[in-house]
Amino acid sequence: MAPPAQSHRSPSPSQPSGKGEVSDLKTQLRQLAGSRAPGTDDTKRELFKKVISYMTIGIDVSSVFSEMVMCSATSDIVLKKMCYLYVGNYAKHNPDLALLTINFLQRDCKDEDPMIRGLALRSSCSLGVANLVEYLVGPLGNGLKDGNSYVRMVAAVGVLKLYHLSASTCLDADFPPLLKQLMLKDKDAQVVANCLTSLQEIWSLEASTSEEAAREREMLLSKPVVYYFLNRMKEFSEWAQCIVLELVSKYVPVDSEEIFDIMNLLEDRLLHANGAVVLATIKVFLHMTLSMTDVHQQVYERIKAPLLTLVSSGSPEQSYAVLSHLHLLVMRAPYIFSSDYKHFYCQYNEPFYVKKLKLDMLTAVANESNTYEIVTELCEYVANVDIPMARESIRAVGKIALQQYDVNAIVDRLLQFLEMEKEHVTAETLVLVKDLLRKYPQWSHDCIAVVGNISSKNVQEPKAKAALIWMLGEYAQDMQDSPYILEGLVENWDEENSAEVRLHLLTAVMKCFLRRAPETQKALGDALAAGVADFNQDVHDRALLYYRLLKYDVSVAERIVNPPKQAVSVFADTQSSEMKDRIFDEFNSLSVVYQKPSYMFTDKEHRGPFAFSEELGTLSIGTEPSDGAVAAQRVEANDKDLLLGTSEKEESHGYGNNGSAYSAPSYDASTTAGASQGHFDLVSIDQPSTLHPPSGFAIDDLLGLGMPAAPSSAPPALLLNAKAAIDPSAFQQKWRQLPVSLSQETSIDPQGVAGMTNPQALPQHMQGHSINCIASGGQAPNFKFFFFAQKAEGSFAYLVECVINSSSCKVQLKIKTDDQATSQAFSELFQSALSKFGSA
């Protein structure tokens, strides 16, 4: 019995069966090119679909270009569209192929069918080939005068595309005056809108160099033109209405009567189903009434209902966009929306980004009359299984408390959160309790009674642990076990990864010692020893500061570390009022959604004078120095990345040996006496002997720090090769390959900063110390240099990135080397040379 015949399935258009598939398509298209047999267009459609699908998934089908062009000689509009799509894709990147398309596109621009004329004109303008602009002038001129509105609409946008390809060609052909004439006289509203869009962009770009263009741009904001658009408002599409309303928002009415006329004319736009039209109308109302306080408040009342309706209808994405604008208005006038707080309650099926924004709204509208209801609702969210939502809810409750609304009840609820025994709830609550105690110290007794029952072992998040440690130090006299809890934390110093926690621990132990010295004596000694040996520069410096204060005078230390404190009245706002006003000026734009002005995510200027890429390949590398001449090249700011500061984005190493000139003692938590070797030297460096009264030396014995050991012999000085040279490509390659050995921050003499007015001063100075400048760039206050040096013995190289802030006199160094053992020695040598820059 014969086996069953297997079913043959044609391969999917997106999955070519082999290398010959494109060749087969080419052969079939060539056969159909001149055919006029019945059904030919249907066959062409199938073949065109295959070509487009291959092109879409990245298969190169440019070899069938000529066949596609030949097959385009048809009246089938679908075939025309697919052919134009194909041609536009390949002609854009291959000007030679684009030349093949000009003849048939120009022929189609004269077709009897207006749809084909419009499509051909659009495709011609979209080729984006600069040397073909001469072929666009004629079709565009005819298109602007075409009897069909679709062709005129396409031509109006085509003029703008031509302007971006060749501004001079566009202006020489007098297209802007033609657009202006169409804009004011054409019967089709979409043609008018396209003309307006093109003219706005062309005249805005030309205004800086042409007085005539500047006058024409001002003409768009004249009363006759604005009223002309307003009277035709209902004819425009939704997109066109937004364009017109944006123009109207920039118009300055003569008097209040004119303002009311415009608002009455646009009143029905507030009821439009499209959210973009509603927001554009609101922008007009708000901007026109800024100088009329009473009317401005009435506008808020009028726009409230349309906005709340838009929030509750539509997709979550639309709701978020509208909520962002509503949030901006709530921040400016919270009392207007305080009675509508229930509209901002979270729904179970809303995405987190919408819920988070609603929580911000609830905190903004909270006042004496609605705080209880809002906090009750927020407390329900705290028990939510969605942990981020629970965290944000706790923060919202805390923000309301800090606004001085119903503090008594809120504190009680926060303390109840601590009894829920959920790690994330406890962590967020501890942070808020700390802030509350800073503002309401009178609640310390109630709060400490609950916080004292929390085990530090159950708190793992750095911010929460830092808050708990702060309370242990600040209220050490009220918490009986405070010294012993802190001592346990100090014993686990090496296990604590967060520098923030270690800094708070140092301060808390110091405060506790000043209040309960006998119980905290050992813990403070261990903390200071561990802090001075810490790899983090801030922790090291703070421990050193506390040690020196204690050596000098304990009473002075107490006045500095634990002075009488006043309650915090207002916490710093994350956004300045100027920033909020700037965002309000850009109402109905992405600025409101991003909550930052447009220059912070569009223009290059917001990045400052420096915007270097991590790749050194983007820098201009100079030639090698010779005969004492410094050949450092200026580096143009690169807009690919922001300057990150002292550390690479992908690297977050600590400072090598603290980046300090101090010889820190070795630290071992198990041996307190051995941990403090060298402390006397730390204190006495650069300090006059008069600052240390004899009684001060007893602090070492009191804290168990021991006596200093004899100083070890200094390592041999590092010698550099005075004639070191490196090929620019080799420097570039080494910079990419080598890891960062040291990242440090130091300072520069103000006289040295003054000397940087001469761009060659610092490179010449460093060359005198056998350190050559490879590249430099920037402008005040930020300057960036790349230096190279080589060890005298051997071929080990040192590469340095040096960023100098002239306003703060701070220097950030990043050192890379293939000899890690001498990286610290080179760092000290480099800093020594830098410190002498500018000195007499």
Side-chain angles (χ1 to χ4, degrees), residues 341-342 344-347 359 362 371-383 389 393 397 413:
Y341 63 91
K342 290 186 179 180
F344 308 132
Y345 282 178
C346 300
Q347 306 296 322
L359 292 180
L362 287 173
T371 294
Y372 179 80
E373 290 80 5
I374 291 177
V375 172
T376 301
E377 180 73 12
L378 292 174
C379 290
E380 295 295 326
Y381 303 154
V382 173
M389 181 63 183
S393 301
V397 173
R413 296 192 186 214

PDB file of all heavy atoms in Angstrom, residues 341-342 344-347 359 362 371-383 389 393 397 413:
ATOM      1  N   TYR A 341     -11.660  64.732  46.376  1.00  0.00           N
ATOM      2  CA  TYR A 341     -10.574  63.797  46.659  1.00  0.00           C
ATOM      3  C   TYR A 341     -10.937  62.349  46.346  1.00  0.00           C
ATOM      4  O   TYR A 341     -10.069  61.526  46.031  1.00  0.00           O
ATOM      5  CB  TYR A 341     -10.139  63.922  48.120  1.00  0.00           C
ATOM      6  CG  TYR A 341     -11.200  63.570  49.131  1.00  0.00           C
ATOM      7  CD1 TYR A 341     -11.331  62.274  49.617  1.00  0.00           C
ATOM      8  CD2 TYR A 341     -12.075  64.541  49.627  1.00  0.00           C
ATOM      9  CE1 TYR A 341     -12.307  61.947  50.546  1.00  0.00           C
ATOM     10  CE2 TYR A 341     -13.050  64.227  50.540  1.00  0.00           C
ATOM     11  CZ  TYR A 341     -13.153  62.935  51.008  1.00  0.00           C
ATOM     12  OH  TYR A 341     -14.124  62.612  51.928  1.00  0.00           O
ATOM     13  N   LYS A 342     -12.215  62.006  46.404  1.00  0.00           N
ATOM     14  CA  LYS A 342     -12.602  60.613  46.149  1.00  0.00           C
ATOM     15  C   LYS A 342     -12.362  60.195  44.698  1.00  0.00           C
ATOM     16  O   LYS A 342     -12.255  58.998  44.412  1.00  0.00           O
ATOM     17  CB  LYS A 342     -14.070  60.402  46.518  1.00  0.00           C
ATOM     18  CG  LYS A 342     -14.321  60.463  48.025  1.00  0.00           C
ATOM     19  CD  LYS A 342     -15.755  60.118  48.374  1.00  0.00           C
ATOM     20  CE  LYS A 342     -15.961  60.154  49.885  1.00  0.00           C
ATOM     21  NZ  LYS A 342     -17.359  59.824  50.271  1.00  0.00           N
ATOM     22  N   PHE A 344      -9.702  60.506  43.317  1.00  0.00           N
ATOM     23  CA  PHE A 344      -8.308  60.074  43.263  1.00  0.00           C
ATOM     24  C   PHE A 344      -8.067  58.786  44.052  1.00  0.00           C
ATOM     25  O   PHE A 344      -6.908  58.392  44.241  1.00  0.00           O
ATOM     26  CB  PHE A 344      -7.397  61.191  43.784  1.00  0.00           C
ATOM     27  CG  PHE A 344      -7.641  62.517  43.121  1.00  0.00           C
ATOM     28  CD1 PHE A 344      -7.791  63.676  43.867  1.00  0.00           C
ATOM     29  CD2 PHE A 344      -7.757  62.601  41.746  1.00  0.00           C
ATOM     30  CE1 PHE A 344      -8.039  64.892  43.260  1.00  0.00           C
ATOM     31  CE2 PHE A 344      -8.002  63.824  41.119  1.00  0.00           C
ATOM     32  CZ  PHE A 344      -8.137  64.969  41.882  1.00  0.00           C
ATOM     33  N   TYR A 345      -9.121  58.164  44.539  1.00  0.00           N
ATOM     34  CA  TYR A 345      -8.959  56.850  45.170  1.00  0.00           C
ATOM     35  C   TYR A 345      -8.525  55.830  44.101  1.00  0.00           C
ATOM     36  O   TYR A 345      -8.961  55.885  42.945  1.00  0.00           O
ATOM     37  CB  TYR A 345     -10.262  56.395  45.813  1.00  0.00           C
ATOM     38  CG  TYR A 345     -10.563  57.061  47.148  1.00  0.00           C
ATOM     39  CD1 TYR A 345     -11.745  56.769  47.839  1.00  0.00           C
ATOM     40  CD2 TYR A 345      -9.684  57.967  47.716  1.00  0.00           C
ATOM     41  CE1 TYR A 345     -12.027  57.370  49.056  1.00  0.00           C
ATOM     42  CE2 TYR A 345      -9.972  58.576  48.932  1.00  0.00           C
ATOM     43  CZ  TYR A 345     -11.138  58.278  49.593  1.00  0.00           C
ATOM     44  OH  TYR A 345     -11.423  58.877  50.797  1.00  0.00           O
ATOM     45  N   CYS A 346      -7.693  54.904  44.494  1.00  0.00           N
ATOM     46  CA  CYS A 346      -7.136  53.936  43.549  1.00  0.00           C
ATOM     47  C   CYS A 346      -8.118  52.787  43.303  1.00  0.00           C
ATOM     48  O   CYS A 346      -8.761  52.293  44.234  1.00  0.00           O
ATOM     49  CB  CYS A 346      -5.812  53.367  44.073  1.00  0.00           C
ATOM     50  SG  CYS A 346      -4.551  54.627  44.332  1.00  0.00           S
ATOM     51  N   GLN A 347      -8.185  52.367  42.049  1.00  0.00           N
ATOM     52  CA  GLN A 347      -8.996  51.211  41.674  1.00  0.00           C
ATOM     53  C   GLN A 347      -8.090  49.977  41.613  1.00  0.00           C
ATOM     54  O   GLN A 347      -6.915  50.080  41.275  1.00  0.00           O
ATOM     55  CB  GLN A 347      -9.663  51.439  40.312  1.00  0.00           C
ATOM     56  CG  GLN A 347     -10.476  52.720  40.234  1.00  0.00           C
ATOM     57  CD  GLN A 347     -11.659  52.722  41.188  1.00  0.00           C
ATOM     58  OE1 GLN A 347     -12.299  51.694  41.386  1.00  0.00           O
ATOM     59  NE2 GLN A 347     -11.941  53.873  41.787  1.00  0.00           N
ATOM     60  N   LEU A 359      -1.849  58.750  44.447  1.00  0.00           N
ATOM     61  CA  LEU A 359      -1.413  58.947  45.837  1.00  0.00           C
ATOM     62  C   LEU A 359      -0.810  60.340  46.010  1.00  0.00           C
ATOM     63  O   LEU A 359      -1.029  61.003  47.033  1.00  0.00           O
ATOM     64  CB  LEU A 359      -0.393  57.875  46.228  1.00  0.00           C
ATOM     65  CG  LEU A 359      -0.920  56.446  46.324  1.00  0.00           C
ATOM     66  CD1 LEU A 359       0.204  55.487  46.715  1.00  0.00           C
ATOM     67  CD2 LEU A 359      -2.053  56.344  47.344  1.00  0.00           C
ATOM     68  N   LEU A 362      -3.641  62.710  46.294  1.00  0.00           N
ATOM     69  CA  LEU A 362      -4.313  62.668  47.602  1.00  0.00           C
ATOM     70  C   LEU A 362      -3.529  63.454  48.648  1.00  0.00           C
ATOM     71  O   LEU A 362      -4.117  64.168  49.473  1.00  0.00           O
ATOM     72  CB  LEU A 362      -4.486  61.213  48.048  1.00  0.00           C
ATOM     73  CG  LEU A 362      -5.558  60.410  47.300  1.00  0.00           C
ATOM     74  CD1 LEU A 362      -5.506  58.940  47.712  1.00  0.00           C
ATOM     75  CD2 LEU A 362      -6.951  60.975  47.577  1.00  0.00           C
ATOM     76  N   THR A 371      -8.702  65.037  55.822  1.00  0.00           N
ATOM     77  CA  THR A 371      -7.535  64.225  56.161  1.00  0.00           C
ATOM     78  C   THR A 371      -7.938  62.860  56.712  1.00  0.00           C
ATOM     79  O   THR A 371      -7.336  61.836  56.347  1.00  0.00           O
ATOM     80  CB  THR A 371      -6.646  64.969  57.189  1.00  0.00           C
ATOM     81  OG1 THR A 371      -6.093  66.129  56.579  1.00  0.00           O
ATOM     82  CG2 THR A 371      -5.525  64.077  57.683  1.00  0.00           C
ATOM     83  N   TYR A 372      -8.926  62.805  57.592  1.00  0.00           N
ATOM     84  CA  TYR A 372      -9.300  61.532  58.202  1.00  0.00           C
ATOM     85  C   TYR A 372      -9.721  60.520  57.136  1.00  0.00           C
ATOM     86  O   TYR A 372      -9.278  59.364  57.153  1.00  0.00           O
ATOM     87  CB  TYR A 372     -10.429  61.737  59.211  1.00  0.00           C
ATOM     88  CG  TYR A 372     -10.889  60.451  59.865  1.00  0.00           C
ATOM     89  CD1 TYR A 372     -10.172  59.901  60.919  1.00  0.00           C
ATOM     90  CD2 TYR A 372     -12.031  59.793  59.409  1.00  0.00           C
ATOM     91  CE1 TYR A 372     -10.578  58.712  61.505  1.00  0.00           C
ATOM     92  CE2 TYR A 372     -12.449  58.605  59.982  1.00  0.00           C
ATOM     93  CZ  TYR A 372     -11.716  58.067  61.031  1.00  0.00           C
ATOM     94  OH  TYR A 372     -12.114  56.883  61.599  1.00  0.00           O
ATOM     95  N   GLU A 373     -10.562  60.951  56.206  1.00  0.00           N
ATOM     96  CA  GLU A 373     -11.031  60.025  55.161  1.00  0.00           C
ATOM     97  C   GLU A 373      -9.884  59.575  54.256  1.00  0.00           C
ATOM     98  O   GLU A 373      -9.778  58.394  53.893  1.00  0.00           O
ATOM     99  CB  GLU A 373     -12.122  60.690  54.311  1.00  0.00           C
ATOM    100  CG  GLU A 373     -13.450  60.896  55.025  1.00  0.00           C
ATOM    101  CD  GLU A 373     -13.439  62.118  55.938  1.00  0.00           C
ATOM    102  OE1 GLU A 373     -12.424  62.846  55.934  1.00  0.00           O
ATOM    103  OE2 GLU A 373     -14.438  62.332  56.658  1.00  0.00           O
ATOM    104  N   ILE A 374      -9.007  60.508  53.914  1.00  0.00           N
ATOM    105  CA  ILE A 374      -7.891  60.161  53.017  1.00  0.00           C
ATOM    106  C   ILE A 374      -6.928  59.197  53.696  1.00  0.00           C
ATOM    107  O   ILE A 374      -6.513  58.195  53.107  1.00  0.00           O
ATOM    108  CB  ILE A 374      -7.168  61.445  52.564  1.00  0.00           C
ATOM    109  CG1 ILE A 374      -8.064  62.257  51.635  1.00  0.00           C
ATOM    110  CG2 ILE A 374      -5.855  61.102  51.872  1.00  0.00           C
ATOM    111  CD1 ILE A 374      -7.463  63.578  51.185  1.00  0.00           C
ATOM    112  N   VAL A 375      -6.578  59.481  54.948  1.00  0.00           N
ATOM    113  CA  VAL A 375      -5.640  58.604  55.664  1.00  0.00           C
ATOM    114  C   VAL A 375      -6.262  57.223  55.879  1.00  0.00           C
ATOM    115  O   VAL A 375      -5.579  56.196  55.788  1.00  0.00           O
ATOM    116  CB  VAL A 375      -5.221  59.245  57.004  1.00  0.00           C
ATOM    117  CG1 VAL A 375      -4.418  58.269  57.849  1.00  0.00           C
ATOM    118  CG2 VAL A 375      -4.419  60.518  56.746  1.00  0.00           C
ATOM    119  N   THR A 376      -7.550  57.178  56.158  1.00  0.00           N
ATOM    120  CA  THR A 376      -8.222  55.882  56.314  1.00  0.00           C
ATOM    121  C   THR A 376      -8.112  55.061  55.030  1.00  0.00           C
ATOM    122  O   THR A 376      -7.832  53.857  55.055  1.00  0.00           O
ATOM    123  CB  THR A 376      -9.698  56.083  56.671  1.00  0.00           C
ATOM    124  OG1 THR A 376      -9.790  56.839  57.890  1.00  0.00           O
ATOM    125  CG2 THR A 376     -10.405  54.752  56.844  1.00  0.00           C
ATOM    126  N   GLU A 377      -8.300  55.723  53.888  1.00  0.00           N
ATOM    127  CA  GLU A 377      -8.174  55.033  52.602  1.00  0.00           C
ATOM    128  C   GLU A 377      -6.735  54.574  52.365  1.00  0.00           C
ATOM    129  O   GLU A 377      -6.489  53.450  51.920  1.00  0.00           O
ATOM    130  CB  GLU A 377      -8.625  55.974  51.479  1.00  0.00           C
ATOM    131  CG  GLU A 377      -8.539  55.377  50.086  1.00  0.00           C
ATOM    132  CD  GLU A 377      -9.594  54.332  49.802  1.00  0.00           C
ATOM    133  OE1 GLU A 377     -10.551  54.227  50.607  1.00  0.00           O
ATOM    134  OE2 GLU A 377      -9.465  53.608  48.796  1.00  0.00           O
ATOM    135  N   LEU A 378      -5.789  55.422  52.704  1.00  0.00           N
ATOM    136  CA  LEU A 378      -4.383  55.064  52.499  1.00  0.00           C
ATOM    137  C   LEU A 378      -3.967  53.891  53.378  1.00  0.00           C
ATOM    138  O   LEU A 378      -3.162  53.045  52.973  1.00  0.00           O
ATOM    139  CB  LEU A 378      -3.489  56.272  52.788  1.00  0.00           C
ATOM    140  CG  LEU A 378      -3.596  57.447  51.800  1.00  0.00           C
ATOM    141  CD1 LEU A 378      -2.763  58.625  52.280  1.00  0.00           C
ATOM    142  CD2 LEU A 378      -3.147  57.021  50.413  1.00  0.00           C
ATOM    143  N   CYS A 379      -4.496  53.836  54.573  1.00  0.00           N
ATOM    144  CA  CYS A 379      -4.166  52.724  55.473  1.00  0.00           C
ATOM    145  C   CYS A 379      -4.653  51.392  54.913  1.00  0.00           C
ATOM    146  O   CYS A 379      -4.058  50.338  55.188  1.00  0.00           O
ATOM    147  CB  CYS A 379      -4.763  52.971  56.853  1.00  0.00           C
ATOM    148  SG  CYS A 379      -3.962  54.313  57.772  1.00  0.00           S
ATOM    149  N   GLU A 380      -5.721  51.421  54.140  1.00  0.00           N
ATOM    150  CA  GLU A 380      -6.190  50.192  53.489  1.00  0.00           C
ATOM    151  C   GLU A 380      -5.172  49.712  52.447  1.00  0.00           C
ATOM    152  O   GLU A 380      -4.974  48.505  52.276  1.00  0.00           O
ATOM    153  CB  GLU A 380      -7.542  50.432  52.820  1.00  0.00           C
ATOM    154  CG  GLU A 380      -8.679  50.753  53.785  1.00  0.00           C
ATOM    155  CD  GLU A 380      -9.000  49.578  54.692  1.00  0.00           C
ATOM    156  OE1 GLU A 380      -8.873  48.422  54.244  1.00  0.00           O
ATOM    157  OE2 GLU A 380      -9.371  49.825  55.854  1.00  0.00           O
ATOM    158  N   TYR A 381      -4.544  50.665  51.780  1.00  0.00           N
ATOM    159  CA  TYR A 381      -3.564  50.294  50.763  1.00  0.00           C
ATOM    160  C   TYR A 381      -2.295  49.712  51.377  1.00  0.00           C
ATOM    161  O   TYR A 381      -1.565  48.983  50.702  1.00  0.00           O
ATOM    162  CB  TYR A 381      -3.175  51.514  49.916  1.00  0.00           C
ATOM    163  CG  TYR A 381      -4.317  52.218  49.239  1.00  0.00           C
ATOM    164  CD1 TYR A 381      -4.235  53.564  48.901  1.00  0.00           C
ATOM    165  CD2 TYR A 381      -5.500  51.546  48.928  1.00  0.00           C
ATOM    166  CE1 TYR A 381      -5.274  54.229  48.269  1.00  0.00           C
ATOM    167  CE2 TYR A 381      -6.556  52.204  48.303  1.00  0.00           C
ATOM    168  CZ  TYR A 381      -6.436  53.546  47.991  1.00  0.00           C
ATOM    169  OH  TYR A 381      -7.475  54.200  47.372  1.00  0.00           O
ATOM    170  N   VAL A 382      -2.013  50.060  52.645  1.00  0.00           N
ATOM    171  CA  VAL A 382      -0.784  49.575  53.281  1.00  0.00           C
ATOM    172  C   VAL A 382      -0.776  48.058  53.376  1.00  0.00           C
ATOM    173  O   VAL A 382       0.278  47.416  53.277  1.00  0.00           O
ATOM    174  CB  VAL A 382      -0.610  50.209  54.678  1.00  0.00           C
ATOM    175  CG1 VAL A 382       0.565  49.599  55.421  1.00  0.00           C
ATOM    176  CG2 VAL A 382      -0.440  51.716  54.540  1.00  0.00           C
ATOM    177  N   ALA A 383      -1.945  47.477  53.539  1.00  0.00           N
ATOM    178  CA  ALA A 383      -2.043  46.018  53.643  1.00  0.00           C
ATOM    179  C   ALA A 383      -2.084  45.345  52.274  1.00  0.00           C
ATOM    180  O   ALA A 383      -2.281  44.133  52.179  1.00  0.00           O
ATOM    181  CB  ALA A 383      -3.293  45.647  54.443  1.00  0.00           C
ATOM    182  N   MET A 389       3.129  49.399  46.103  1.00  0.00           N
ATOM    183  CA  MET A 389       1.949  50.190  46.427  1.00  0.00           C
ATOM    184  C   MET A 389       1.861  50.440  47.930  1.00  0.00           C
ATOM    185  O   MET A 389       1.531  51.552  48.381  1.00  0.00           O
ATOM    186  CB  MET A 389       0.700  49.455  45.932  1.00  0.00           C
ATOM    187  CG  MET A 389      -0.599  50.196  46.189  1.00  0.00           C
ATOM    188  SD  MET A 389      -0.657  51.770  45.311  1.00  0.00           S
ATOM    189  CE  MET A 389      -2.240  52.393  45.893  1.00  0.00           C
ATOM    190  N   SER A 393       2.016  54.103  49.815  1.00  0.00           N
ATOM    191  CA  SER A 393       0.902  54.501  50.687  1.00  0.00           C
ATOM    192  C   SER A 393       1.417  54.996  52.031  1.00  0.00           C
ATOM    193  O   SER A 393       0.926  55.993  52.570  1.00  0.00           O
ATOM    194  CB  SER A 393      -0.048  53.318  50.883  1.00  0.00           C
ATOM    195  OG  SER A 393      -0.554  52.858  49.640  1.00  0.00           O
ATOM    196  N   VAL A 397       1.002  58.760  53.703  1.00  0.00           N
ATOM    197  CA  VAL A 397       0.516  59.061  55.054  1.00  0.00           C
ATOM    198  C   VAL A 397       1.505  59.979  55.769  1.00  0.00           C
ATOM    199  O   VAL A 397       1.119  60.948  56.441  1.00  0.00           O
ATOM    200  CB  VAL A 397       0.310  57.754  55.848  1.00  0.00           C
ATOM    201  CG1 VAL A 397      -0.020  58.066  57.311  1.00  0.00           C
ATOM    202  CG2 VAL A 397      -0.800  56.920  55.235  1.00  0.00           C
ATOM    203  N   ARG A 413      -1.518  55.746  63.876  1.00  0.00           N
ATOM    204  CA  ARG A 413      -1.632  54.765  62.787  1.00  0.00           C
ATOM    205  C   ARG A 413      -0.262  54.307  62.311  1.00  0.00           C
ATOM    206  O   ARG A 413      -0.064  53.133  61.986  1.00  0.00           O
ATOM    207  CB  ARG A 413      -2.420  55.373  61.624  1.00  0.00           C
ATOM    208  CG  ARG A 413      -3.855  55.705  62.004  1.00  0.00           C
ATOM    209  CD  ARG A 413      -4.682  56.021  60.779  1.00  0.00           C
ATOM    210  NE  ARG A 413      -6.020  56.479  61.149  1.00  0.00           N
ATOM    211  CZ  ARG A 413      -7.104  56.229  60.454  1.00  0.00           C
ATOM    212  NH1 ARG A 413      -7.044  55.489  59.372  1.00  0.00           N
ATOM    213  NH2 ARG A 413      -8.275  56.703  60.824  1.00  0.00           N
TER     214      ARG A 413
END
